[in-house]
């Protein structure tokens, strides 16, 4: 009971009380934070993951500015029902180039973490202009203005540089020529028939690293995405972004027992 | 604490011994049940942190004595679900689609599974029950662009149509006849012929008929009956993907719209694709 006797001392001496609180909180912090200092990264480095191309990045900005995250999550949780509906559960690495991440916590609409490749570009455009024209029971609002608003992308390289600062130089820094070619890459991806070899090679090199096979290329939506080849609109950018979601990792090649070789 | 707390005269209860400007506080301890529940949660946290993954360490973490983790729990859960369905799934995996269609029990199982899969994956374009929409073919009728036999449907679902990345995807492109190919009068004439053809009133000769025989028959057939091998849709009925008015037909001749369907081979399992093929085949028009 001597401890309880001394408790009066703590309660009546402000300096000792503050010291006691500090020590208590510090213990919790040390246990949780200190072990992380010994690990270079808490995120598994998965083959195929790459930063967004300039067009996809511009689309991601529109996704955020239109508030898509208010109704759509981007996180397939490791539960049977979610996997049967959406596909493989999300990996931490799949959000490593998302600043801020778009996991979300509310699903008024379906999860979008694996929406890439599930619908055609034309469907996305039609659905975003008038959701009920394709999904009669949908309660999603229409975003017809995206199809008529030209995309402003003059500052896309600066935007990428900023993100690289947030990503501690590991985001666009290692992508060779990402900044110099940002505008050319963006235009190439959204222009039908454009030469996209340089763009695809640039981001494929990053995605698959030095052991990239000759014919191994990263998936991205190319060409006129919104049915209007004359202008690059906000719709083009948003569709490019939606079409890449969840497609970077090849899960047909994945199996838990080979995790070590799959994760590099 | 150190000094004996005094008893409050009015209520007869002890005070805490604290005093502020002559005001004293009654000592009202927490109910015993609450205190014991609190102690129990502390005891539970100790048990929990021993049994389940908990304490971080310099390299890795303490995994808990039960060895539980979310990913292996999920693997077990999925395996359990698969086991429960394995009686059917192994048969579906072993048989091809025509054989499944002939086996009544297996077909009804595949129909139920296919229906669920269709609602999640196909209905956004082809609509509930395969009713179709502008630009998305109706699956509940007997007109097929790429063939309505079970194996044709299976291939379409598996590889998609005009997918930019899938090497096995079904692909064809109708030329844009408006690009320095046909004059406006010629487009008008051929659209008029196709319109008449769709109403069963095709003239035996004329400029439209001549152009049709020259440029269109290789994919759409001499009688407009279509060619499923090449994905040329039939034109001798009023089922049109992009509208059946004369203007719609002319627009499609001038600069055709080409629909895209995603491939499902990497998104759905082989058994799931077979169930979908059975379901789509049974919607009304399977050949």
């Amino acid at each position: 009971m001597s401890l309880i006797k001394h408790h009066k001392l703590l309660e009546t001496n402000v300096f000792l009380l503050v010291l006691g609180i500090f020590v208590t909180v510090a213990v919790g912090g040390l246990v949780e934070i200190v072990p992380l200092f010994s690990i270079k990264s808490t995120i598994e480095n998965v083959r195929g993951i790459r930063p967004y191309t300039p067009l996809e990045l511009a689309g991601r900005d529109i996704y955020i500015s239109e508030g898509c995250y208010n109704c759509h999550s981007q996180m397939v949780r490791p539960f049977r029902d979610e996997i049967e509906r959406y596909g493989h559960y999300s990996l931490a690495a799949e959000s490593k180039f998302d600043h801020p991440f778009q996991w979300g916590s509310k699903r008024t609409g379906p999860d979008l973490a694996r929406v890439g490749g599930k619908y055609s570009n034309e469907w996305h455009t039609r659905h975003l202009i008038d959701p009920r024209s394709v999904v009669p029971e949908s309660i999603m609002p229409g975003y017809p203005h995206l199809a008529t608003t030209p995309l402003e992308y003059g500052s896309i390289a600066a935007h990428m540089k900023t993100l690289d600062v947030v990503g501690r130089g590991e985001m666009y820094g290692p992508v060779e020529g990402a900044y110099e070619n940002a505008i050319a890459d963006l235009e190439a991806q959204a222009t039908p028939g454009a030469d996209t070899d340089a763009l695809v090679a640039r981001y494929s090199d990053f995605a698959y690293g030095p052991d990239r096979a000759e014919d191994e290329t990263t998936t991205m939506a190319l060409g006129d995405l919104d049915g209007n080849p004359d202008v690059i609109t906000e719709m083009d950018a948003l569709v490019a972004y939606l079409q890449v979601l969840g497609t970077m990792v090849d899960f047909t090649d994945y199996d838990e027992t080979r995790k070590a070789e799959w994760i590099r | 604490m150190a000094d004996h707390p005094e008893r409050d005269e009015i209520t007869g209860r002890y005070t805490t011994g604290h005093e502020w400007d002559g005001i004293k506080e009654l000592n009202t301890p927490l109910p015993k049940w609450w205190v014991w529940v609190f102690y129990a949660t502390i005891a539970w946290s100790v048990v929990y942190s021993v049994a389940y993954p908990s304490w971080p360490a310099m390299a890795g973490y303490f995994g808990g004595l039960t060895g539980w983790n979310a990913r292996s729990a999920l693997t077990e859960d999925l395996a359990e679900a698969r086991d429960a369905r394995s009686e059917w799934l192994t048969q579906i995996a072993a048989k091809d689609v025509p054989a499944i269609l002939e086996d009544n029990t297996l077909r009804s199982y595949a129909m139920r599974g296919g229906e669920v899969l269709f609602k999640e994956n196909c209905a956004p374009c082809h609509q509930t029950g395969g009713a179709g929409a502008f630009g998305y073919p109706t699956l509940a009728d007997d007109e097929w662009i790429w063939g309505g036999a079970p194996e044709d449907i299976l291939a379409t679902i598996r590889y998609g149509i005009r997918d930019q990345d899938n090497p096995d995807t079904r692909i064809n492109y109708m030329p844009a006849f408006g690009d320095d190919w046909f004059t406006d009068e010629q487009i008008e004439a051929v659209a008029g012929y196709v319109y008449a053809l769709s109403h069963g009133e095709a003239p035996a000769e004329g400029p439209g008929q001549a152009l049709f025989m020259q440029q269109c028959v290789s994919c759409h057939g001499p009688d407009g009956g279509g060619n499923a091998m090449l994905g040329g849709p039939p034109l001798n009925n009023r089922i049109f993907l992009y509208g059946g008015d004369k203007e719609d037909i002319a627009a499609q001749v001038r600069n055709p719209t080409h629909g895209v369907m995603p491939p499902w081979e990497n998104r759905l399992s082989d058994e799931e694709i077979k169930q979908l093929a059975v379901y789509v085949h049974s919607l009304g028009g399977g050949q």
Side-chain angles (χ1 to χ4, degrees), chain A residues 120-168:
Chain A
S120 64
N121 302 330
E122 185 268 345
W123 184 90
H124 275 301
T125 304
R126 201 193 286 191
H127 180 252
L128 284 162
I129 290 173
D130 178 9
R132 273 159 298 285
S133 69
V134 280
V135 185
E137 66 274 24
S138 173
I139 56 162
M140 180 171 134
Y143 296 85
H145 55 282
L146 297 179
T148 52
T149 314
L151 183 69
E152 286 177 27
Y153 53 87
S155 60
I156 194 73
H159 185 30
M160 289 158 73
K161 281 179 192 166
T162 311
L163 281 174
D164 200 50
V165 174
V166 180
R168 295 182 302 165

